Amino acid sequence: SGAMLPSGGNIILDGQNVTTSTTVRKRIGTLFEEDLLYERQTAQRNLDFYCQLHNLPKSCSGEMLKQIGLSDQAQKPVSKLAPNAQRRLAFIRVVMGQHALLLLDQPTLRTDLDTQALFARLIISAAAEGASVLIADEDLSWASKCCTRVVELEDGHITNRYSLETGKTGISAPERLVPFKVPARKDDRI
């Protein structure tokens, strides 16, 4: 997102160099593998602070908490929220900025199926509003729900690229790219 200088080449967004233009960098929203929330602050205060940084109305934070199903936990410190709720909070913080480009690294880490479905809907909504979305994820069965194109990288080089069929039910990704998942059973204990 322009925080570090590239080792080579240029990063251009809407005709402007990301590394030299702070205006362009503000148009990029990034979700890292780690949630990077203020753990001693409440969920509400985390979003209020983000609103303040990005000149968004404070009322926006309440609306976003409601949208991700955390309005009842708005006054809880982030450290007391379940990992799934923390991920929802980190995700909505990125989406609420109405960025031109969203960079999402492993967005479904520490999430349940309902949260994954919510994230897919929010990504589709952001794309429909004009945002470009780049997702780095290993689970292409989930990513195929909200992505139209896949680019495979290995050692920093493109090894394959293809389009996913939209409107197709089931897994669109090649079988070798779909992780094996074992459904939980009632009798299983960890």
Side-chain angles (χ1 to χ4, degrees), residues 128-150:
E129 292 174 9
S132 296
V133 183
L134 179 68
I135 301 173
D137 207 318
E138 297 169 3
D139 184 356
L140 292 187
S141 62
W142 174 81
S144 68
K145 295 175 184 175
C146 54
C147 295
T148 56
R149 285 179 259 161
V150 173

Side-chain angles (χ1 to χ4, degrees), residues 41-45 48 65 70-78 81:
Q41 297 296 325
T42 65
Q44 180 80 47
R45 299 259 327 204
D48 287 346
L65 285 167
L70 292 179
S71 57
D72 61 331
Q73 299 181 56
Q75 299 310 314
K76 255 190 183 180
V78 169
L81 294 174

Side-chain angles (χ1 to χ4, degrees), residues 49-64:
F49 180 64
Y50 188 81
C51 288
Q52 186 179 356
L53 286 176
H54 294 278
N55 297 319
L56 297 170
K58 255 191 172 180
S59 61
C60 189
S61 62
E63 294 166 20
M64 293 296 127

Side-chain angles (χ1 to χ4, degrees), residues 167-189:
K168 181 180 173 186
T169 57
I171 296 168
S172 301
E175 174 109 5
R176 64 186 172 74
L177 297 176
V178 178
F180 179 72
K181 293 186 178 181
V182 178
R185 295 178 304 197
K186 187 177 179 180
D187 297 336
D188 289 346
R189 289 193 173 84

Side-chain angles (χ1 to χ4, degrees), residues 75-183:
Q75 299 310 314
K76 255 190 183 180
V78 169
S79 61
K80 302 286 185 190
L81 294 174
N84 182 52
Q86 291 179 12
R87 194 63 172 169
R88 283 181 181 224
L89 188 61
F91 187 90
I92 202 66
R93 181 187 59 201
V94 174
V95 174
M96 71 189 278
Q98 298 178 338
H99 302 287
L101 174 63
L102 298 177
L103 303 174
L104 309 175
D105 184 16
Q106 307 270 347
T108 58
L109 280 179
R110 300 177 300 282
T111 61
D112 58 18
L113 294 176
D114 289 337
T115 299
Q116 292 174 19
L118 171 68
F119 287 1
R121 286 193 307 273
L122 291 172
I123 289 168
I124 291 167
S125 176
E129 292 174 9
S132 296
V133 183
L134 179 68
I135 301 173
D137 207 318
E138 297 169 3
D139 184 356
L140 292 187
S141 62
W142 174 81
S144 68
K145 295 175 184 175
C146 54
C147 295
T148 56
R149 285 179 259 161
V150 173
V151 176
E152 294 177 43
L153 299 174
E154 189 174 315
D155 296 325
H157 300 286
I158 295 174
T159 58
N160 196 7
R161 66 178 84 190
Y162 52 91
S163 293
L164 296 174
E165 297 176 36
T166 55
K168 181 180 173 186
T169 57
I171 296 168
S172 301
E175 174 109 5
R176 64 186 172 74
L177 297 176
V178 178
F180 179 72
K181 293 186 178 181
V182 178

